[in-house]
Amino acid sequence: QVQLQESGPRLVKPSETLSLTCTVSGYSISSGYHWGWIRQPPGKGLEWIGIISHSETTYYNPSLKSRSTISVDPSQNQFSLTLSSVTAADTAVYYCARGPRYCSGGSCYTKHFDYWGQGTLVTVSS
Amino acid sequence: QSVLTQPPSVSAAPGQKVTISCSGSSSNIGSNHVSWYQQLPGTAPKLLIYENNKRPSGIPDRFSASKSGTSATLGITGLQTGDEADYYCGAWDSNLSAGVFGTGTKVTVL
């Protein structure tokens, strides 16, 4: 049974860096899937943040790319998200998720997410 | 700033059918597979449909989906009170080299 669990500070000050970790159980993070982050501001829709492959290839939402970094730690079976220079607009529930690998035209990415973490609310406030 | 457009809400009586549309462009729905997610109140999204019309194990066949051109549609038949949720479409966008989600649709069972 694949399970994902987000962890990290629930409160971040404006202009600081948000850091979250997703711990994966029931599946090896090195076994060929993509691992992603999605967020949802309170009362709003889903926003795709980015994904990372087991070989550490990353794709980011262009609107967040300059502030986002996704990394993977196979030894801990974890992957992480950092988002710099946060503002109140970054307040959201952050989800981590697993996505099956799909390759086309020389690029490999994920078309959908089949397992999700329960999500963690991160509030940006002083 | 969602790239895929959905109606804000749809509703129907128990036992009836609802359809949810998802409109995109040639760089996302027009050239890539569509997925659908169900988000029950207070919970994480759950994969409902992948690769346009495939259901993961455990998803009842009351849920179906199709794609035509740059639009996709999710259908729910035999509507139940437990189907009250927000539904999102998703796809890869080849121009953005990123995934995109729809604006979301709230399904209400009258």
Side-chain angles (χ1 to χ4, degrees):
Chain A
Q1 174 78 350
V2 181
Q3 293 184 316
L4 297 92
Q5 178 68 58
E6 305 87 352
S7 61
R10 301 299 195 267
L11 181 64
V12 182
K13 291 182 168 54
S15 80
E16 295 190 344
T17 296
L18 177 159
S19 296
L20 293 173
T21 296
C22 183
T23 301
V24 180
S25 59
Y27 193 84
S28 171
I29 205 167
S30 301
S31 296
Y33 276 70
H34 278 79
W35 307 92
W37 290 95
I38 303 98
R39 71 179 184 180
Q40 184 173 35
K44 297 188 178 181
L46 302 174
E47 182 175 30
W48 196 96
I49 299 173
I51 57 172
I52 188 167
S53 71
H54 68 288
S55 60
E56 304 192 43
T57 299
T58 52
Y59 292 96
Y60 295 101
N61 182 330
S63 68
L64 297 171
K65 185 174 184 177
S66 64
R67 300 192 292 128
S68 304
T69 302
I70 298 175
S71 58
V72 63
D73 184 353
S75 68
Q76 298 295 318
N77 221 38
Q78 296 175 332
F79 63 104
S80 300
L81 167 72
T82 61
L83 185 66
S84 63
S85 305
V86 297
T87 69
D90 295 310
T91 294
V93 175
Y94 285 76
Y95 296 100
C96 60
R98 186 187 85 164
R101 186 168 181 255
Y102 176 77
C103 297
S104 175
S107 297
C108 295
Y109 47 91
T110 190
K111 297 181 289 186
H112 60 268
F113 296 105
D114 57 0
Y115 286 93
W116 294 63
Q118 65 184 28
T120 186
L121 173 62
V122 179
T123 302
V124 178
S125 174
S126 56
Chain B
Q1 64 262 37
S2 296
V3 173
L4 307 180
T5 302
Q6 301 178 230
S9 63
V10 297
S11 60
Q16 297 300 302
K17 174 180 179 178
V18 294
T19 59
I20 301 170
S21 61
C22 175
S23 179
S25 67
S26 59
S27 64
N28 41 67
I29 294 178
S31 53
N32 293 290
H33 287 124
V34 178
S35 54
W36 290 90
Y37 302 87
Q38 177 193 59
Q39 187 176 33
L40 296 170
T43 69
K46 173 184 175 182
L47 181 65
L48 212 56
I49 297 286
Y50 67 100
E51 292 181 2
N52 298 336
N53 55 18
K54 298 178 181 177
R55 283 176 285 107
S57 174
I59 301 300
D61 58 7
R62 299 188 299 107
F63 296 91
S64 63
S66 62
K67 186 184 93 167
S68 178
T70 59
S71 294
T73 302
L74 173 71
I76 310 173
T77 59
L79 204 59
Q80 301 175 1
T81 55
D83 297 331
E84 285 203 332
D86 293 320
Y87 292 81
Y88 295 89
C89 57
W92 183 257
D93 191 295
S94 300
N95 283 353
L96 299 176
S97 290
V100 291
F101 288 109
T103 49
T105 299
K106 182 176 182 60
V107 170
T108 300
V109 181
L110 301 172

